[in-house]
Amino acid sequence: MAKFRFLNRVKVFYFDQRGMVLVFSLLVLIMVSVWGAATLTLSTNEYHISSSSKKAIQAYYLAEAGLEEGIVSLKKDPENFVEFSKTLETGSFAVNKVGSIPGTVTLTSVGIVGDFQKTLTGSLKIIATGGPPSFDEAEYSSMGSMTFNSNETINGDIYAGGSLSFNSNNTITGDIYTAGSASFNSRNTINGNIFVDGSLTFNNNTTINGNIYVKGNLTFKNNTTINGNIYIMGNLDYHKHFSISGDIFYNWDGNYTPGYDIKLIDFN
């Protein structure tokens, strides 16, 4: 009799499904809840990522707008440039300047949208474009012709009332003027502007970091690099490996207009 009751209980345990339905329902409910919570979390994260990405892009464009406005302002009046900031609908930007004029100036623009910032910088080379040095103001001056030998380092302006010639391996930091013709042999570097009333000739491996003003003919031989503009009244003749970062102004009228030549040399 006891054995019969035991078997009956086992039968009830295996075949009575009323409790299992409840357990299964709870499991399904838990799984749906977990899936819903995971989906909500994923959607929230994607929203935050999308919003952050949008703000970062807006901050970049604000910084770019500030830098472009700063460059325009600097070119308009380099000596009186004032650091500035501006608030727009999407955010704000602030622009400041480091460097001397003439020389290399760096503008920094910071775009801000909420907690996001983006910084962009632009470096500009500013070259004075005033007239030639005078006899009294020049460090090296002569009313006649002047000749410089090789391997010299010359700091200061040069004024020659006659012709002017340089041999090889010279470095000149300053403006140069000659009322006659000028010639440079090989491997000379000029950090300044050159003003020549006659003809001007450069031989091999010459670098000019400044503007060139020539009322006569201008001739470049091999391997010439010019970081500036050329203003010329006569003819221009250049051989291979001639490079210029500025512009060439033909039919120049011979007038020297004081001011600055400004060129963007780096942007990041």
Side-chain angles (χ1 to χ4, degrees):
M1 191 70 178
K3 180 178 180 182
F4 176 79
R5 285 197 299 268
F6 173 77
L7 293 174
N8 189 43
R9 289 176 182 175
V10 171
K11 181 180 178 181
V12 170
F13 176 79
Y14 276 101
F15 294 98
D16 189 352
Q17 301 296 319
R18 288 174 295 178
M20 294 300 295
V21 172
L22 178 60
V23 172
F24 180 76
S25 299
L26 289 174
L27 288 174
V28 171
L29 180 61
I30 292 172
M31 292 176 62
V32 171
S33 299
V34 171
W35 178 82
T39 302
L40 179 62
T41 301
L42 181 61
S43 300
T44 303
N45 289 339
E46 288 180 349
Y47 171 78
H48 286 306
I49 292 172
S50 176
S51 178
S52 299
S53 177
K54 179 181 178 181
K55 289 180 179 179
I57 293 172
Q58 289 175 332
Y60 174 87
Y61 283 117
L62 282 170
E64 186 178 51
L67 187 59
E68 290 178 353
E69 187 170 330
I71 291 173
V72 171
S73 178
L74 184 67
K75 288 184 174 181
K76 184 177 180 180
D77 192 357
E79 295 180 343
N80 297 309
F81 179 87
V82 178
E83 298 177 356
F84 64 94
S85 61
K86 184 176 290 187
T87 300
L88 303 175
E89 183 177 350
T90 55
S92 63
F93 61 76
V95 181
N96 60 67
K97 174 181 75 70
V98 176
S100 58
I101 299 172
T104 301
V105 168
T106 299
L107 295 180
T108 301
S109 176
V110 181
I112 303 173
V113 178
D115 296 331
F116 289 85
Q117 292 188 4
K118 179 61 180 179
T119 301
L120 293 176
T121 60
S123 296
L124 299 99
K125 184 74 172 180
I126 302 178
I127 301 173
T129 59
S134 66
F135 178 84
D136 295 329
E137 294 174 347
E139 187 74 20
Y140 305 86
S141 59
S142 172
M143 293 305 296
S145 298
M146 299 180 69
T147 299
F148 291 86
N149 295 319
S150 301
N151 304 310
E152 294 192 35
T153 299
I154 302 165
N155 295 311
D157 295 340
I158 298 172
Y159 179 101
S163 62
L164 180 63
S165 63
F166 291 85
N167 211 329
S168 303
N169 299 311
N170 295 299
T171 299
I172 303 102
T173 301
D175 292 339
I176 299 172
Y177 167 77
T178 175
S181 297
S183 63
F184 293 80
N185 206 348
S186 59
R187 297 182 300 278
N188 285 291
T189 300
I190 301 96
N191 300 311
N193 300 317
I194 302 174
F195 305 85
V196 179
D197 288 349
S199 62
L200 174 59
T201 302
F202 294 97
N203 285 319
N204 299 329
N205 300 302
T206 301
T207 300
I208 303 103
N209 298 311
N211 294 328
I212 300 175
Y213 303 83
V214 185
K215 294 183 179 180
N217 296 327
L218 176 58
T219 301
F220 294 102
K221 299 296 178 64
N222 300 332
N223 301 315
T224 302
T225 301
I226 304 156
N227 297 311
N229 296 328
I230 294 176
Y231 301 82
I232 183 171
M233 297 178 67
N235 297 319
L236 173 62
D237 181 27
Y238 56 88
H239 295 204
K240 60 183 179 181
H241 305 306
F242 170 80
S243 173
I244 179 171
S245 62
D247 299 314
I248 301 176
F249 298 90
Y250 296 97
N251 301 316
W252 172 52
D253 61 7
N255 293 318
Y256 304 112
T257 303
Y260 295 98
D261 177 39
I262 302 176
K263 183 172 291 294
L264 182 66
I265 58 176
D266 188 29
F267 175 88
N268 57 68

